[in-house]
Amino acid sequence: MERVRGTTALAAAAAVALTGAAVWQLSGGAGAAPGAGGTSQQQADGYPGLPHTSVQASPGGCGTGWSSTRAATGLQVFDVANSGIAPADVQLIEPASGAVLGEVEGLAPNRSRPLLVRLAAGSYAFRCLQQDVDAATGPTVKVTGSGSGSGSGSGSGQGTPAVVPVTQQDLIPVALAYQHWVAGQLPGLVADVDALHSAVASGDLAGAKQRWLTAHLAYERLGAAYGAFGDVDDEINGPRSHDTGFHGVEYGLWHQGSTTGLEPVAAKLLTDVKGLAAGWPKVQLDPAVLGVRAHEIVENAVEFELSGRTDYGSDSNLATVGANLDGTTEVLTLLRPLLTSRVPMPQIDAAMAAARAQLAADGNTPLGSLTQPQREKLNAVFGDLVEQLAPIAAVLEVRRTQ
Amino acid sequence: MSAQPKDVARRAVLAGALATGAAAALTGASTARATTPSGDAPRGFHGVHQAGVLTPKRRVAAFVSFDVTAGDRAGLTDLFGTLTDRVRALTTGGVPEPLGISAPPADSGVLGPVPPGGLLTALVAVGASLFDERFGLAARRPVRLSTMPAFPDDDLDPSVCHGDLLLQLEADDTDVIASALRDIARHTRGAMQVRWRVDGFASPPRPVGTPRNLMGFRDGTANPDTGDTRLMDQLLWVDAGQGEPAWATNGSYLAVRLIRMLVEFWDRVGITEQERMFGRRKDSGAPLDGQAETDTPDFGADPTGDVIPMDSHIRLANPRTAQTAAQRLLRRGFNYDRGTDANGNLDMGLVFCAFQQDLERQFAAVQRRLAGEPLVDYIRPFGGGYFFVLPGVRDANDRYARDLLA
């Protein structure tokens, strides 16, 4: 099972990129002028009570409206208005490192949106990325003052975390390496499914059950590749069906207690994974989805495996979760060079290790046989893990910088 | 209608035999103070005592029991630190911290970009199981904290009983509860897990006076006066000199009882019988020997129970004698309504909550006296637990359970 959240969002963004300028010119832009006073509802939604600074964003006037004389530390709002003729991404950056503290993405011409940020003392600038135009960086503004002001949840002197954005170019080598890793796994998967098919065809129930587990785990280990597998993934491993794919074979083996009638299902499964392996060299994995995958594999494990929803008799959910952790580990290993400076990797590694340890402690116990304390501990460890992994998708979102 | 004679017969037998059965103090008796939902300005987060005890009930509540999954004392200390930070932030309101591109948003946004302060009242309490071997706290257990026993005729479901930690969330709107619970769970996922949860609501006065429970009777009429500081010190708060560990001072004990009301059955009972079970009029809430809700029943003038039956709820719960004065407790329950059972009957009733200084002296003593009252046929206590309400978080540098974990 998989989700293609990342690719969908990117496809939509790409569509805006292609047509945005033309559409805005045809429609004459939006009604309200930037900086004009809004309704009371708009004001209530726009952080009343915080310092506001109006800033212009256009290739020729990026950051206009903010200067050192008006700069202050603390929690504040920049009302960023796009005075250009095309949609733009606007970032508040540290010019020395290029790290981003906040952004407004896809800001339409003649529109203003608030950018909320907590500034510590330092040097900052706005970067305006209008479509089809080179990036423009506004004047560097030096902010002085003590600490970062008061407010909930802030460490003393800490501003909003600044993160160096990741570009498509950064992710391409990772995607290629990942594709290579998958290519290395696929022959084993085909062999495992072939063995499963043979056992089913020869009526060897015990052997078929054992080979089903091996083959299914081999598939589950590929986690991050699901997006690239497309619709065939649903045929192979769809959770809602018990007459096709892995779960069709599982249902038959464990519920009817014989291999009778399962040969065609196993044969179709073999055909599908062979097709997958044969087609893999032609697949172009979207580099942008890797960050999303790093947390979605475990999200899916929580939703579909730890809930028991995908169990069709084999009681192997925990083993499947272990295979999903293998897939996540592979993605994290390949992404690690990009992640170490952007997210707290020691915390993430600790959460991964805790998840491994909990699975080892629970063995391959059927979910339904876990005691309440065991179940709570399992839910706690995986609940914590998905929280720790979530920032990876945020920092690895592909952003323009030039 | 062949069932009717049988029901009546069963009732008569039970009413006559004051031996079996159990009931919670659905309605008590003493001096009067109506607890009205909302209205008053909310108390701030910091204080000697926690909010959610003496503060007026708000319109909706969630009772969420957690088991601590943190592995050791350090993890438990982190958990109480996080709970303090989150409850302080959620009750105070304000702009959620911007995280830029480093992470998903810090807040769900359910209450808007700038959640207002004062919308939430939260209370944190701990169960006896927190003081087992896991965290080395056995020697610091509040001396009167135990695991809630099954009283006669309780029908307890272990999956909705007890817990290491109880969170009582109150607000005037449900979205506040939903977003608060979501926030707290998000920040504590690794350290605690929900064991059970039940949501409740406080009814408005109908038409005036103390709000009614789902049996249609006013509930809480005879509560002790929460404005009487001296009385609260006598009945509610833990203080030095009670043999409790020093850290427990300014805490309190909370009995939570999930009590289903068999409302279909109840609705098939005549009004006179209903009123004689409670000892009060249904319409006005007046004791059966009085005119107004606030009238004090005079049991001495009715020694054989001709007006207010000897086994009526208010007479058993609070006999209004000098000897039972110290047994009074503060009831602060919420009605609940949560779907239907397999028979198609409505699952509704009361989240009974009682605060006190001593569970044995107060709640358990009253509960034992109520055993076998006629009302037990129409209610079914199925869950809950005993908890110790932690002392309040005094200021910005304090946190829940600071002295317990010191």
Side-chain angles (χ1 to χ4, degrees):
Chain A
M1 183 57 191
E2 55 89 23
R3 301 271 173 80
V4 285
R5 182 188 80 187
T7 45
T8 311
L10 278 158
V16 170
L18 288 172
T19 61
V23 168
W24 278 99
Q25 279 161 11
L26 281 172
S27 70
T39 66
S40 59
Q41 180 175 343
Q42 283 168 334
Q43 284 159 2
D45 285 345
Y47 305 104
L50 287 183
H52 281 248
T53 306
S54 292
V55 172
Q56 298 298 314
S58 70
C62 187
T64 304
W66 192 39
S67 63
S68 295
T69 54
R70 301 196 52 183
T73 57
L75 194 59
Q76 56 195 289
V77 176
F78 292 98
D79 294 297
V80 182
N82 183 356
S83 46
I85 56 160
D89 294 341
V90 184
Q91 301 166 345
L92 178 61
I93 64 170
E94 292 176 348
S97 63
V100 174
L101 287 91
E103 68 182 354
V104 175
E105 279 199 316
L107 180 62
N110 294 320
R111 286 294 187 199
S112 165
R113 267 164 55 190
L115 188 160
L116 177 71
V117 69
R118 183 185 297 279
L119 291 183
S123 294
Y124 306 99
F126 279 93
R127 179 158 62 194
C128 303
L129 300 136
Q130 188 174 306
Q131 260 137 35
D132 309 319
V133 179
D134 286 343
T137 300
T140 295
V141 173
K142 200 166 162 57
V143 177
T144 56
S146 57
S148 57
S150 61
S152 60
S154 70
S156 61
Q158 300 280 307
T160 299
V163 178
V164 177
V166 168
T167 64
Q168 185 92 350
Q169 283 66 34
D170 295 328
L171 284 167
I172 286 171
V174 182
L176 290 174
Y178 183 73
Q179 215 159 342
H180 184 71
W181 177 77
V182 172
Q185 302 288 309
L186 287 173
L189 173 66
V190 172
D192 291 340
V193 175
D194 196 26
L196 166 63
H197 175 253
S198 298
V200 168
S202 67
D204 173 9
L205 179 66
K209 283 182 171 179
Q210 200 180 358
R211 284 161 184 175
W212 181 89
L213 279 169
T214 306
H216 185 243
L217 295 181
Y219 187 79
E220 290 283 352
R221 214 165 277 131
L222 301 178
Y226 293 10
F229 291 177
D231 291 344
V232 75
D233 169 61
D234 220 33
E235 287 290 309
I236 293 174
N237 203 32
R240 288 178 203 85
S241 157
H242 52 76
D243 44 25
T244 64
F246 276 113
H247 294 304
V249 177
E250 179 188 11
Y251 188 84
L253 291 177
W254 272 273
H255 280 271
Q256 73 184 31
S258 85
T259 58
T260 308
L262 291 180
E263 193 280 331
V265 185
K268 169 72 164 47
L269 177 62
L270 181 58
T271 305
D272 285 342
V273 296
K274 278 181 173 168
L276 199 64
W280 188 250
K282 296 192 288 282
V283 167
Q284 281 198 321
L285 198 63
D286 181 356
V289 304
L290 280 173
V292 172
R293 288 293 149 201
H295 88 107
E296 279 204 342
I297 299 173
V298 184
E299 294 282 358
N300 280 4
V302 170
E303 182 180 349
F304 297 104
E305 304 302 330
L306 291 183
S307 63
R309 217 181 115 187
T310 49
D311 176 47
Y312 286 91
S314 67
D315 274 335
S316 63
N317 287 118
L318 290 187
T320 303
V321 174
N324 295 156
L325 283 187
D326 291 343
T328 303
T329 300
E330 185 60 29
V331 177
L332 290 178
T333 300
L334 296 173
L335 289 172
R336 187 170 292 266
L338 293 177
L339 291 176
T340 43
S341 63
R342 293 182 171 92
V343 293
M345 279 312 285
Q347 254 173 264
I348 291 167
D349 290 338
M352 284 290 287
R356 290 271 185 209
Q358 190 60 39
L359 284 185
D362 291 335
N364 285 333
T365 315
L367 273 180
S369 304
L370 294 175
T371 63
Q372 186 174 8
Q374 282 176 317
R375 190 64 201 247
E376 287 173 347
K377 187 71 190 167
L378 186 68
N379 292 342
V381 159
F382 278 87
D384 183 55
L385 178 57
V386 284
E387 294 292 344
Q388 302 293 342
L389 292 173
I392 293 178
V395 299
L396 293 188
E397 194 182 312
V398 171
R399 289 177 169 86
R400 257 186 86 191
T401 57
Q402 293 171 2
Chain B
M1 295 290 105
S2 60
Q4 187 67 8
K6 188 179 155 202
D7 287 343
V8 171
R10 179 168 162 246
R11 265 180 254 151
V13 168
L14 275 162
L18 260 176
T20 55
L26 290 166
T27 311
S30 172
T31 58
R33 177 184 161 91
T35 318
T36 46
S38 307
D40 298 13
R43 203 203 87 162
F45 173 63
H46 295 130
V48 171
H49 303 118
Q50 285 195 65
V53 182
L54 300 186
T55 47
K57 279 194 284 185
R58 307 185 93 163
R59 299 296 297 271
V60 287
F63 296 83
V64 192
S65 166
F66 294 87
D67 283 332
V68 174
T69 51
D72 53 24
R73 179 80 160 260
L76 183 67
T77 304
D78 281 351
L79 170 61
F80 279 113
T82 304
L83 267 178
T84 309
D85 290 345
R86 292 323 304 157
V87 174
R88 184 186 280 124
L90 291 166
T91 51
T92 307
V95 179
E97 194 61 25
L99 300 178
I101 67 166
S102 73
D107 185 71
S108 68
V110 167
L111 301 182
V114 188
L119 298 185
L120 178 75
T121 303
L123 175 139
V124 176
V126 294
S129 54
L130 191 73
F131 300 88
D132 64 14
E133 72 292 344
R134 285 172 295 165
F135 308 109
L137 295 173
R140 298 185 174 207
R141 182 173 56 82
V143 297
R144 295 167 178 87
L145 183 61
S146 58
T147 303
M148 183 182 77
F151 289 89
D153 266 14
D154 275 8
D155 186 9
L156 299 181
D157 172 354
S159 70
V160 285
C161 287
H162 319 308
D164 291 335
L165 191 148
L166 181 83
L167 194 57
Q168 173 190 289
L169 301 174
E170 286 175 79
D172 290 334
D173 293 296
T174 309
D175 61 344
V176 175
I177 303 275
S179 70
L181 185 56
R182 208 161 130 184
D183 181 277
I184 290 168
R186 176 182 181 178
H187 285 90
T188 58
R189 249 182 250 298
M192 65 181 192
Q193 287 284 307
V194 175
R195 181 180 173 88
W196 55 265
R197 168 187 180 175
V198 62
D199 291 352
F201 61 94
S203 303
R206 300 294 186 195
V208 292
T210 306
R212 296 171 188 272
N213 64 26
L214 294 178
M215 288 179 144
F217 280 79
R218 291 190 168 144
D219 189 353
T221 298
N223 257 338
D225 181 0
T226 54
D228 183 339
T229 307
R230 202 165 138 264
L231 188 61
M232 294 299 101
D233 286 343
Q234 289 168 359
L235 296 179
L236 252 66
W237 302 120
V238 167
D239 201 353
Q242 291 162 12
E244 295 282 2
W247 73 265
T249 294
N250 296 317
S252 186
Y253 288 91
L254 168 61
V256 177
R257 305 266 295 166
L258 311 184
I259 302 169
R260 178 159 174 200
M261 294 169 170
L262 309 180
V263 293
E264 289 88 353
F265 187 12
W266 182 248
D267 290 344
R268 292 187 278 264
V269 174
I271 186 65
T272 303
E273 192 179 356
Q274 287 188 11
E275 292 182 336
R276 287 175 62 81
M277 278 191 254
F278 273 103
R280 289 186 181 275
R281 294 268 301 278
K282 194 172 190 179
D283 52 7
S284 65
L288 293 179
D289 67 350
Q291 283 298 323
E293 184 195 346
T294 50
D295 287 348
T296 303
D298 187 353
F299 297 135
D302 179 27
T304 53
D306 296 329
V307 179
I308 302 180
M310 302 304 286
D311 60 4
S312 66
H313 188 76
I314 64 166
R315 196 155 187 166
L316 291 172
N318 185 354
R320 295 171 190 261
T321 63
Q323 294 91 328
T324 57
Q327 295 174 353
R328 287 175 299 156
L329 36 72
L330 180 68
R331 283 164 299 130
R332 203 170 174 284
F334 289 80
N335 300 322
Y336 84 79
D337 180 6
R338 53 173 203 174
T340 54
D341 68 11
N343 294 347
N345 284 329
L346 297 169
D347 180 3
M348 56 175 65
L350 178 68
V351 185
F352 170 90
C353 298
F355 293 95
Q356 64 232 279
Q357 203 169 59
D358 184 336
L359 287 159
E360 223 15 64
R361 185 188 93 205
Q362 295 164 279
F363 172 75
V366 172
Q367 191 66 15
R368 281 191 292 267
R369 206 160 47 230
L370 287 169
E373 64 166 329
L375 199 56
V376 297
D377 264 10
Y378 306 91
I379 58 176
R380 194 168 66 78
F382 66 92
Y386 284 172
F387 299 93
F388 182 77
V389 178
L390 296 174
V393 175
R394 286 166 182 264
D395 54 44
N397 298 315
D398 196 7
R399 56 185 158 76
Y400 291 124
R402 185 192 54 191
D403 294 343
L404 166 63
L405 298 167

